[in-house]
Amino acid sequence: MVTVADTPLDGRCPDGNIASRWDQRKRDLKLVAPNNKRKYTVIVVGTGLAGGSAAASLAELGYNVLSFCIQDSPRRAHSIAAQGGINAAKNYQNDGDSVWRLFYDTVKGGEWRARESNVYRLATLSTSIIDQCVAQGVPFAREYGGTLANRSFGGAQVSRTFYCGGQTGQQLLLGAYQAMMRQVSGGGIKLFTRREMLDLVVVDGIARGIVTRDLVTGKYETFVSDAVVLCTGGYGNAYYLSTMAKTCNVTAAWRCHKRGAYFANPCFTQIHPTCIPVSGDHQSKLTLMSESLRNDGRVWVPKTKGDTRSPDQIPEDERDYYLERRYPSYGNLAPRDVSSRAAKERCDAGFGVGQSGMSVYLDFSKAIKEDGESVIREKYGNLFHMYERITDENPYKVPMRIYPAVHYTMGGLWVDYNLQSNLPGLYVLGEANFSDHGANRLGASALMQGLADGYFVIPYTVGDHIATRKVKPITADRPEFHDALESAKSRTTAILNVNGTHSTEHFHRALGKIMWDHVGMARNEKGLLHAIEQIKTLREQFWHDVKVVGSGETLNQNLEHAGRVADFLEFAELLARDALHRDESCGGHFREEHQTDEGECDRNDADFSYVAAWQFKGVGTDSILHKEPLTFVDAPFGVRSYK
Amino acid sequence: MTDSTAQCKRGLLGCLGLNWFFRLLSSSIGQKFVMGVTGLLLCGFLVTHLAGNLLLFAGAKPFNEYAHALHSQWELVAVAELGLVVLFLAHVYLAVTTTIGNYRARREFYVLKQSKVPGRIIGANTWMFASGSVVLGFVILHLIDLRMGLRRSLHYFPDPEAFEAPFHNTMAALSDPISRVVYFVGAIILGVHLSHGFASAFQSLGLNHPKYTPLIKIIGKIFGVIIAIGFASIVVFVPGMWR
Amino acid sequence: MNHAASKNLNLTLKIWRQAGPKQAGGLKTYQVSGISTDMSFLEMLDVLNEQLIASGEEPVAFDHDCREGICGTCGVVINGQAHGPDSGTTTCQLHMRRFKDGDTIVIEPWLAKAFPIVRDLIVDRSAFDRIIQAGGFVSVNTGNAPEANTTLVPHHVQQDAMSAAACIGCGACVASCKNASAMLFVSAKVSHLASIPQGQGERSKRVLNMVATMDAEHFGNCTNTGECEAACPAKINLTNIAQLNREYLKASLFSKE
């Protein structure tokens, strides 16, 4: 049984007309005078779209910013890998888009499990993001006359996605990175690369600093600040195989959770429908093929079970374009969770293609015939090239083979409307928080959220914390810093001292298999209970049997990885427990017990229209559930149909 | 006033408002620019030099007439020679300093190194300093032979001011087989140097354009070949023609 | 129609091992077997590292992150070629089908004075960050921006800017250049921002400062050999270096900077 807290959690959203709530909040937020800002230090952990834009914007305002990243340069954060685009309600295409429509699409796309006020603010800010990025010199695609171009993405019937070829995330990140570098040279940002955050320091109930490990020297350091802004991305690597970069991890968020920050909706994980299928046991990560490909690509499987003919031998009338068949109005642009489950359904039913039968075709022959190869090459050239390098097949000639893979995590640390967690002074931005996407994120919305949080929300809200609480200067001599440092050190030492027989990789893969098999695209009570037991056992084995070679005083990638896997092993249990407790199907969380006759999600708004925010009570001990009720007035509950 | 006083503290160039010029010349790109400009101007000299020397095919009289006509403009020749010396020394000096700088920047060398340029086995362009050094050696020899007249073993014309002297001395310099081989090799290596250097100079000057660069590259190769064949043909054919 | 079925390879690896920046390094030989031709190059190194951990030896340290060719973190010199034999390809996207059974593969880190070795195959590329700090940006504070469509950028200009902006900052250009020159990297950012309207305000200052920093970081000069272009996984064109030269000369001779 889950222990539920007595008082509901309050997101502290403003009241009144949804369209003016952010204005009202900005009016109410206290300000820090310009000449006082430089007296305050803000720590920003992570340098992706959220962290990079936050660090740059806060430094521009005059705060002393300490920026940390795990990579050798801020430019390498995993936002860089986002391919397809970024949504904005500019309505440049004159096709009926508006802030309200982007808001509605996002709430609907997330199956009514996101906070209305947050989503409306996100839709409003989306247009400013495009303005800001263009001013920075981000080379968005253009029409011949020089105006900005758009394309369509899943879950929307308007063209509102701005893009830079297949490298939108890269270009947006470089824009934020360059803004950051400008502040580094001006002295507003102090940059710490190859540093991993290992703990949060809480003094008198307020987040006041962090503990890091220098990944080159192995040295532990503490940093004091007046606010901590966490922008450390998602936890998809709990599944081992995902489209995440190898260093993506839950450690920073999880250690904050252990210090008291609530973790919200961890079971909302996104499985992306168009990834390159697994080719063997050696696979170390999965590669996404942008959703934008579904603008021109058609998804199909043979109509006959176990049809082993090569795709060009299968005539048109023997092909099942199952997305077009099941969802005639959205067709191949059905949202990610829907498309992923449809692919799984076909493959499980025996219609899958490829050696393992675990993939479906994404076919461009029609688009190539209609528009010509050069048009397709200009739109997707780099993606086609990447596909060919990985699979050794030419997608201009043979249909791509794709299969769903873990891609994004909608859950994250709980934050209020100001993006502040329940721990005062700790702000969480971007994928690391839970706030805007509900149970499923629409394509091209992650970049939008990261940048909205970093450029346009945190610069206002962090000042309010500093001004309202009148945080006092402290030094790292406080015992809380010492304790946090020692606890981080001792965890690393403990890992080194196990000296077992199996590598970190072994445990990570084993965890990934449990997660994918039982907490993946389709979940049920029995499987989840089984998974929880298996995770516990694996965690115990890890602490008795992991083998890490080398020392903690040098660069030791094996040790870094072990620390992250140790945290995943604790976190994964919470993810599974959240999935078990949410006894409904919605968005990326599909419980087999709750489906319609057609195999769609059967949502339960009466019982589960809330944010599940978990309070840590010890590893292996049941967490306490805090519920933040969700109400929907401007985008009232509806059936999420893409038919 | 205060501005220029402040600048004067930064030395003579500062006083003259030429800090920017110093910055340009001491920068990597500025040095490449100087390399390119001096190289192209030296190419211009090579064209006139070859044109004059091709008169050797016409025989002693035309060549001697040309030489005397040229030398009668001694003021111009002096200025031109000074200019050539400056261009040449600048070109050589920068070649040496950038090569040392580049060597230091590389510092460590791979155990194994292969080019990724399609069709390139060992980078032909990595030989610019080597070919340049050979050309430098050859130019020094050439000046000793025919500008200063210092090679003892050659039978120079007794009176250096005489009408017959230029042709006679040129033939003397090419009289023995070893000299001919050296002059021949010098011409060929010069051509190799130019075949990369010509087009490279345009790139260093920032002149790269999809419409013209392919043409410039071809012209560079042809230019190298013409200069090499032009000078080499003199070495090969002229001594036999006028024995 | 489908690709050739995967095979297993036995390989000899000669890998640069160096415990730290100040320690001496050298090539060490390892044997790996059962390497599937479907593996990526880094997955092959993963196999080696698992093998080393099992035998109690410290695994080979190598930089990597996204493993899909965009983050620019990975990069080693494979048999003398930066990122290995394929053009337009990062190390993580190089696949083992490119190699034959019984091959010997020499793996070295990027070598350049400006990229000191951190450990094994990992080098310090922070000089690139400092070059960008010197001016690789447009000075526009958050909130200052005008409506996006008030800045018109013709399609072909955007295309040129995009192909320069595609640089992933991996450092293969430096690694492959006999002079360890960073001109291709610097020119990509200079060209990107010089070609679009937003970059005009700081056009002169940017190129002067970025080149000054590039020189101060001890990168070598360009001798137009084109090795960088051939090694570049993002296919940044040599024309960018010409544009860099042009921008620098223009700024030196005609701007007030």
Side-chain angles (χ1 to χ4, degrees), chain C residues 81 118 136 149 165 173 187 232-233 241 244:
Chain C
Q81 296 177 312
V118 176
N149 257 347
C173 45
S187 71
C232 177
I241 299 187
L244 172 70

Side-chain angles (χ1 to χ4, degrees), chain C residues 104-165:
Chain C
T104 296
I105 307 175
V106 179
I107 307 168
E108 297 175 79
W110 287 171
L111 290 181
K113 188 179 181 190
F115 287 170
I117 292 181
V118 176
R119 186 184 173 95
D120 294 342
L121 302 172
I122 296 182
V123 299
D124 176 359
R125 288 170 291 196
S126 56
F128 272 10
D129 286 335
R130 291 188 289 277
I131 291 174
I132 299 294
Q133 283 163 30
F137 46 75
V138 174
S139 293
V140 52
N141 281 2
T142 306
N144 288 171
E147 191 340 281
N149 257 347
T150 53
T151 313
L152 295 182
V153 182
H155 183 258
H156 69 277
V157 174
Q158 179 270 334
Q159 295 261 297
D160 287 349
M162 184 62 215
S163 56

Side-chain angles (χ1 to χ4, degrees), chain A residues 57 60 73 76 90 92 131 134 137 140 142 171 177-178 182 194 246-247 284-285 389-390 503 557, chain C residues 43 50 62-63 65-68 73 88 97 129 136 141-142 147-148 155 158 165 169 189 192 198:
Chain A
S57 304
E60 285 161 10
S73 164
R76 309 209 194 279
K90 284 284 198 185
Y92 283 159
D131 298 342
V134 165
F140 282 122
R142 301 280 176 159
Q171 293 308 314
Y177 159 75
Q178 287 164 203
R182 173 172 163 244
R194 294 202 199 260
K246 294 299 282 180
T247 51
S284 64
K285 82 150 269 165
R389 272 186 313 215
I390 293 174
S503 71
Q557 292 171 312
Chain C
E43 284 166 349
E50 285 300 289
F62 61 92
D63 257 334
D65 202 12
C66 78
R67 296 203 175 192
E68 49 186 276
T73 312
R97 61 182 76 94
D129 286 335
N141 281 2
T142 306
E147 191 340 281
H155 183 258
Q158 179 270 334
K189 191 43 70 192
H192 160 212
Q198 301 92 310

Side-chain angles (χ1 to χ4, degrees), chain A residues 137-205:
Chain A
V138 170
F140 282 122
R142 301 280 176 159
E143 304 293 350
Y144 285 99
T147 51
L148 286 147
N150 291 114
R151 61 183 169 203
S152 312
F153 247 65
Q157 288 178 310
V158 293
S159 268
R160 62 160 79 98
T161 304
F162 295 79
Y163 63 99
C164 310
Q167 291 144 275
T168 317
Q170 180 200 27
Q171 293 308 314
L172 293 175
L173 183 68
L174 292 180
Y177 159 75
Q178 287 164 203
M180 258 187 93
M181 289 297 106
R182 173 172 163 244
Q183 293 305 317
V184 172
S185 71
I189 296 179
K190 212 159 170 238
L191 183 62
F192 299 89
T193 58
R194 294 202 199 260
R195 296 293 207 296
E196 180 161 26
M197 172 177 163
L198 291 182
D199 210 347
L200 179 76
V201 185
V202 182
V203 178
D204 301 333

